[in-house]
Amino acid sequence: ELPRLVFPWTEKNDGDVQSVRLKIRAIENKGLQALYPPGASWGFFGWHLVEEDATEIIITEGEFDAMAVYQSTNRVAISLPNGCRNLHVSLLPRLEKFKKIYLWMDDDLPGQEGADKIAQKLGYGRCYIVPTNIDKKTDKKSAPKDANDALKLGLDLSQCLDNAKLRPHVGIQQFEGDLEDEVFRELSQPKELCGIPTRSLPRLDSLLKGHRRGELTILTGSTGVGKTSLLAQLSLDYCQAGVPTLWARFSILSFFLSFFRLYSSIVFSQIFLTIITRAFLSFGLSSPVVYSVFFSFHQKSFDDFV
């Protein structure tokens, strides 16, 4: 078994601290994690430290960041349940009483985008964005990424909190302060802008940089060029990568979508390989090297292929 860390989501009832759920994570690989028990309620790491009459709160992206803030400043900090974009709607009532909320997310593109979305949920008028790199003379490549990095580098975390600013109005922006850091991140860390790659179309990934959150892509072309086939393959790749995928059926036959789902479940089986081989041989082709050729016959019946 891999070495693991356990972070409890806690509550305080009549002075007693109770654990409502556990977040279990591998030490080396952050992606290997689980919540126990499954299906239980959402919570915050560190919530039991929040006083009933508190009017300010610090919210960090990770548990180590919350502990770093508390260790360095003696100010209570709680951690988001599961990353910078995870603030479940059931947790919003707990944060209603706070007049001032410090959002200390990672100083990268996902972290700052997450801070903006959380501020939008909680209200721009009370959310202060905490900058980790307060020394503008520090090389940004070696600057701390989060509160935990800042603590390990010996920086003053209280000064970081003192430099927190309200999220500016979305319609009024200045390059210095508002856009400068974001532009620098996009130029210096291009891999952070890449989305979820496909498993079967690496050349397409090199052009489009994967499936990126918040973007709308429209695929057009004349009849028979392979639009549906391409989208079918992309859907399969993204489904296998855990991306929610929705097919809106207009002109595509239900048979094709059902067969496509069957294909996704037995793609590596000998049965399916035998069927595809027979289908291609019936059309005089030597090997099934191009999936789009096969799917272009989706309007025929299954018996036509066999």
Side-chain angles (χ1 to χ4, degrees):
E1 295 185 358
L2 296 175
R4 292 165 290 180
L5 296 170
V6 178
F7 300 105
W9 295 349
T10 54
E11 291 183 355
K12 186 187 296 183
N13 293 323
D14 297 329
D16 296 329
V17 178
Q18 298 178 350
S19 176
V20 297
R21 204 172 186 183
L22 301 178
K23 178 180 177 181
I24 306 171
R25 200 201 78 185
I27 294 179
E28 298 295 335
N29 188 350
K30 295 182 180 180
L32 297 177
Q33 64 180 31
L35 300 178
Y36 181 83
S41 60
W42 292 89
F44 290 114
F45 173 78
W47 183 255
H48 64 284
L49 298 174
V50 180
E51 299 293 340
E52 291 293 333
D53 58 350
T55 59
E56 298 183 0
I57 190 66
I58 302 170
I59 302 178
T60 65
E61 182 171 333
E63 293 81 10
F64 284 114
D65 299 323
M67 291 188 286
V69 172
Y70 185 71
Q71 175 180 325
S72 177
T73 67
N74 202 32
R75 297 169 67 173
V76 174
I78 61 176
S79 170
L80 291 174
N82 194 21
C84 59
R85 292 190 175 98
N86 187 274
L87 179 58
H88 197 267
V89 64
S90 63
L91 298 175
L92 297 181
R94 299 191 185 188
L95 303 175
E96 288 182 356
K97 68 176 184 178
F98 298 109
K99 297 180 180 179
K100 194 172 186 178
I101 300 176
Y102 293 92
L103 298 178
W104 199 333
M105 305 293 111
D106 287 1
D107 192 18
D108 55 15
L109 190 60
Q112 295 308 302
E113 287 181 348
D116 185 66
K117 291 186 179 299
I118 293 174
Q120 186 177 5
K121 282 185 178 181
L122 301 178
Y124 287 122
R126 59 177 180 151
C127 290
Y128 290 75
I129 309 300
V130 182
T132 304
N133 181 23
I134 58 177
D135 186 3
K136 296 299 182 180
K137 297 180 181 179
T138 303
D139 181 11
K140 294 186 178 183
K141 292 184 179 180
S142 59
K145 181 182 179 182
D146 51 35
N148 187 42
D149 286 347
L151 177 64
K152 291 188 292 185
L153 291 174
L155 300 182
D156 187 349
L157 272 63
S158 294
Q159 187 178 358
C160 294
L161 291 169
D162 292 339
N163 281 270
K165 296 181 180 180
L166 283 170
R167 173 67 170 85
H169 191 283
V170 294
I172 303 176
Q173 290 184 316
Q174 296 180 351
F175 179 78
E176 185 176 358
D178 296 337
L179 300 175
E180 182 181 7
D181 292 340
E182 183 176 349
V183 171
F184 179 82
R185 278 192 296 269
E186 293 194 11
L187 294 177
S188 61
Q189 305 172 23
K191 291 185 178 180
E192 289 191 4
L193 299 177
C194 295
I196 300 175
T198 65
R199 299 187 178 188
S200 56
L201 303 170
R203 292 188 63 186
L204 184 65
D205 286 335
S206 66
L207 296 174
L208 301 183
K209 307 305 179 185
H211 174 74
R212 294 186 286 191
R213 181 187 297 267
E215 290 189 356
L216 173 65
T217 301
I218 300 177
L219 183 64
T220 64
S222 58
T223 303
V225 298
K227 300 185 299 296
T228 302
S229 302
L230 174 60
L231 292 175
Q233 186 60 48
L234 290 175
S235 298
L236 174 60
D237 288 350
Y238 295 141
C239 282
Q240 292 176 337
V243 178
T245 305
L246 173 66
W247 270 91
R249 175 179 174 263
F250 297 105
S251 60
I252 302 174
L253 299 181
S254 298
F255 154 77
F256 170 69
L257 296 181
S258 300
F259 183 75
F260 173 68
R261 184 174 181 180
L262 173 67
Y263 161 72
S264 67
S265 63
I266 62 174
V267 63
F268 298 111
S269 70
Q270 185 62 40
I271 296 175
F272 184 73
L273 291 177
T274 302
I275 293 174
I276 274 210
T277 302
R278 292 177 62 186
F280 272 77
L281 289 176
S282 67
F283 289 103
L285 300 177
S286 58
S287 61
V289 294
V290 183
Y291 290 123
S292 60
V293 175
F294 177 72
F295 282 116
S296 65
F297 295 98
H298 64 270
Q299 293 184 352
K300 292 180 176 289
S301 67
F302 184 78
D303 291 336
D304 290 338
F305 288 104
V306 181

